[in-house]
């Protein structure tokens, strides 16, 4: 049962990130960026689909769509950072950068998993996430080392999203069990490398790393910020309004 | 029902174009990983280029139509993720087809498909599809797409 929960955590973070980013489609600041954010969103939807299909296989009765569309807020295990609102472009870039840096390290480790499906999905996702990191990092540098206004705004974006970065490295009972069995990742061990990527990027961007502060927690237990409910009501609207609708 | 001639299946699959880059077939793209004949059925293993590539659904449908039109009903399509798709699987002839079609084939550096210039500028990491980036030629000034190496 814990493998199901573990797989859903990965799937949910991808799914919710994808849904949130897709809100940029047709609203990007430039055509190129609109296409870039939409493509990143599509990658994340694809990754979510792979993990949800695997969750469905483990579960044996629910389909991938059931998991995506028929669970309530408290039954989602995505990291809180993924559900945060897009805000302005800088807010989205800061969120995407922190998540991509974590995903890059996480999938690098998960691709060594003893579970063949998880390792295959991780290896696939890793290739895509590398581009997400490259893209968001270059924007961090451009905005931080840009105009006075862009620097001010991206610094504020960093400061306000920072409280959600602590969850990346948490380990609860399920994480420990799955990690000890050689299937899952020891999140805590990723912190040093993540800090390196972040510090190096912030240096290049001439930005200041936020001070240590209170860190948000709770998503592993299905506790979320108010942003998730609104996102789900949009994402789940159609299958809930027309339960057996087919494409 | 067809007998277990997998060569025939490969031949037919090679006539199914990539829905987004019709100059090359799904076989040339490298997404068909394996065809085996098992318990009176052809099992065709497909790997996606990118996890969220919308073309995957489209070419699965195209493959089904092509095989059925050729009288083959006993087949099954299976999605596999490992090993992950890579542009390394693309043959030199396929790369040449892409170049002629106007897409800079996968390589370290994006080369202009129009004038072969190596002096090009990256405009965006993401082109019209996830598998391509967007560039500009500094010599002939034409914009072009480059198939990313993954
Ligand atoms: Zn040129």
């Amino acid at each position: 049962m814990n493998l199901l929960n573990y797989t859903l955590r990965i799937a949910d973070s991808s799914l919710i990130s994808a849904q949130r980013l897709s809100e940029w489609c047709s609203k990007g600041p430039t055509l190129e960026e609109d296409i870039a954010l939409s493509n990143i969103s599509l990658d994340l939807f694809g990754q979510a689909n792979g993990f949800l299909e695997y969750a469905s296989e483990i579960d044996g009765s629910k389909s991938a769509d059931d998991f995506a569309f028929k669970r309530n807020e408290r039954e989602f295990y995505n990291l809180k950072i993924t559900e945060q609102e897009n805000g302005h472009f800088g807010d989205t870039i800061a969120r995407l950068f922190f998540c991509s840096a974590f995903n890059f390290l996480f999938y690098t480790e998960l691709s060594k998993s003893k579970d063949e499906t998880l390792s295959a999905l991780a290896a696939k996702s890793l290739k895509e996430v590398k581009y997400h990191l490259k893209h968001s990092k270059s924007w961090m540098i451009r905005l931080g080392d840009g105009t006075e206004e862009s620097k001010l705004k991206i610094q504020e974006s960093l400061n306000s999203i920072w409280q959600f970065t602590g969850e990346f490295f948490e380990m609860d009972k399920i994480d420990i069990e799955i990690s000890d069995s050689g299937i899952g990742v020891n999140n805590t061990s990723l912190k040093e490398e993540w800090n390196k990527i972040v510090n190096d990027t912030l240096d290049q961007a001439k930005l200041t790393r936020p001070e240590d502060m209170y860190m948000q927690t709770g998503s592993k237990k299905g506790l979320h910020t108010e942003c998730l409910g609104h996102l789900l009501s949009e994402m789940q609207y159609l299958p809930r309004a027309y339960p057996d609708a087919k494409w | 029902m067809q007998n277990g001639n997998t060569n025939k299946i490969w031949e037919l699959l090679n006539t199914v174009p990539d829905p987004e880059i019709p100059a090359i077939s799904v076989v040339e793209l490298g997404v068909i990983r394996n065809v085996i004949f098992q318990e009176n059925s052809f099992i065709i293993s497909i790997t996606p280029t990118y996890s969220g590539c919308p073309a995957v659904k489209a070419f699965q449908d195209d493959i089904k139509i092509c095989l059925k039109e050729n009288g083959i009903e006993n087949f099954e399509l299976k999605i596999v993720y490992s090993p992950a798709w890579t542009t390394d699987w693309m043959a030199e002839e396929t790369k040449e087809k892409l170049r002629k079609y106007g897409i800079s084939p996968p390589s370290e550096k994006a080369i202009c498909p129009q004038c072969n210039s190596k002096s090009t500028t990256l405009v965006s990491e993401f082109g019209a599809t996830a598998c391509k980036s967007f560039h500009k030629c500094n010599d002939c000034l034409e914009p072009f797409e480059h198939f990313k190496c993954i």
Side-chain angles (χ1 to χ4, degrees):
Chain A
M1 249 10 231
N2 286 350
L3 182 61
L4 174 63
N5 190 295
Y6 190 77
T7 305
L8 283 175
R9 289 175 181 184
I10 307 169
D12 289 350
S13 280
S14 311
L15 179 65
I16 301 304
S17 298
Q19 176 70 21
R20 192 53 99 194
L21 270 184
S22 74
E23 292 169 10
W24 275 106
C25 187
S26 82
K27 296 190 186 106
T30 63
L31 182 59
E32 287 80 7
E33 203 43 41
D34 197 302
I35 292 170
L37 291 174
S38 301
N39 269 318
I40 294 174
S41 162
L42 205 52
D43 281 346
L44 293 165
F45 271 124
Q47 293 167 13
N49 187 51
F51 287 104
L52 285 176
E53 287 289 352
Y54 187 43
S56 160
E57 196 185 310
I58 300 167
D59 179 73
S61 63
K62 292 196 185 84
S63 71
D65 275 2
D66 288 341
F67 278 120
F69 298 122
K70 294 183 183 167
R71 276 183 300 156
N72 295 320
E73 200 183 338
R74 289 290 304 267
E75 298 161 302
F76 273 81
Y77 303 111
N78 60 286
L79 296 167
K80 282 183 175 178
I81 191 170
T82 62
E83 71 208 27
Q84 297 310 304
E85 283 170 2
N86 283 333
H88 60 63
F89 180 66
D91 293 333
T92 296
I93 287 297
R95 191 187 72 222
L96 182 63
F97 169 67
F98 288 144
C99 289
S100 302
F102 173 75
N103 287 343
F104 168 69
L105 299 169
F106 179 79
Y107 286 130
T108 301
E109 285 308 306
L110 190 66
S111 64
K112 301 169 198 157
S113 170
K114 276 187 191 162
D115 181 298
E116 279 180 22
T117 308
L118 287 182
S119 84
L121 289 169
K124 180 88 201 153
S125 305
L126 180 61
K127 289 188 171 205
E128 296 160 359
V129 160
K130 276 183 190 166
Y131 273 93
H132 306 171
L133 178 59
K134 201 172 154 188
H135 188 73
S136 53
K137 179 179 169 170
S138 75
W139 268 113
M140 288 291 292
I141 295 168
R142 227 196 287 187
L143 293 172
D145 194 15
T147 65
E148 211 174 304
E149 190 181 351
S150 72
K151 185 188 178 72
L152 191 73
K153 280 191 165 175
I154 191 76
Q155 184 68 55
E156 278 174 3
S157 307
L158 283 189
N159 297 348
S160 66
I161 202 81
W162 190 252
Q163 60 183 306
F164 295 101
T165 58
E167 272 198 325
F168 289 139
F169 312 107
E170 282 181 6
M171 291 289 282
D172 72 352
K173 240 176 81 189
I174 294 177
D175 287 310
I176 294 169
E177 186 200 312
I178 302 283
S179 157
D180 284 352
S181 63
I183 293 172
V185 176
N186 179 347
N187 300 325
T188 313
S189 74
L190 305 177
K191 193 167 183 175
E192 202 183 317
E193 278 301 310
W194 186 85
N195 276 328
K196 251 190 233 167
I197 298 175
V198 168
N199 292 344
D200 169 61
T201 306
L202 295 187
D203 279 350
Q204 285 185 60
K206 299 179 182 155
L207 292 167
T208 314
R209 184 183 161 105
E211 300 277 318
D212 284 338
M213 55 169 79
Y214 166 76
M215 285 292 178
Q216 294 267 352
T217 180
S219 69
K220 288 180 197 289
K221 295 193 200 95
L223 297 171
H224 293 278
T225 60
E226 64 173 319
C227 310
L228 184 66
H230 296 289
L231 180 146
L232 291 181
S233 66
E234 168 80 22
M235 185 177 87
Q236 299 181 332
Y237 169 77
L238 195 108
R240 288 199 187 251
Y242 304 94
D244 292 310
K246 292 257 180 303
W247 291 111
Chain B
M1 201 189 77
Q2 289 288 314
N3 62 16
N5 185 355
T6 51
N7 287 339
K8 173 74 185 158
I9 303 293
W10 279 106
E11 254 172 58
L12 289 172
L13 292 174
N14 207 21
T15 66
V16 177
D18 175 316
E20 293 190 9
I21 312 167
I24 63 171
S25 77
V26 291
V27 173
E28 289 170 313
L29 183 65
V31 295
I32 311 292
R33 298 316 302 153
N34 200 6
V35 180
I36 55 166
F37 190 71
Q38 196 181 302
E39 289 167 15
N40 288 325
S41 183
F42 292 102
I43 317 277
I44 302 167
S45 299
I46 297 175
T47 197
T49 50
Y50 281 73
S51 303
C53 180
V56 177
K57 174 79 177 70
F59 66 62
Q60 286 189 65
D61 292 344
D62 293 346
I63 288 170
K64 286 178 196 161
I65 293 168
C66 166
L67 294 179
K68 283 181 182 164
E69 274 176 0
N70 284 280
I72 294 159
E73 301 278 349
N74 52 325
F75 66 89
E76 205 183 299
L77 304 183
K78 200 175 97 188
I79 296 283
V80 294
Y81 287 99
S82 183
W85 181 81
T86 163
T87 39
D88 297 346
W89 294 340
M90 213 177 265
E92 286 307 315
E93 304 137 57
T94 309
K95 291 184 184 171
E96 185 54 23
K97 283 187 188 175
L98 282 177
R99 198 186 60 75
K100 284 194 178 136
Y101 187 67
I103 296 171
S104 170
S107 60
E108 278 290 310
K109 173 99 181 92
I111 298 170
C112 173
Q114 310 295 338
C115 73
N116 281 324
S117 169
K118 283 182 182 160
S119 167
T120 60
T121 309
L122 173 73
V123 177
S124 174
E125 288 288 349
F126 296 87
T129 59
C131 58
K132 288 171 282 167
S133 48
F134 194 55
H135 302 254
K136 190 180 76 184
C137 177
N138 298 330
D139 285 321
C140 72
L141 305 179
E142 286 289 325
F144 67 91
E145 287 192 307
H146 172 61
F147 218 105
K148 290 185 216 170
C149 285
I150 70 160

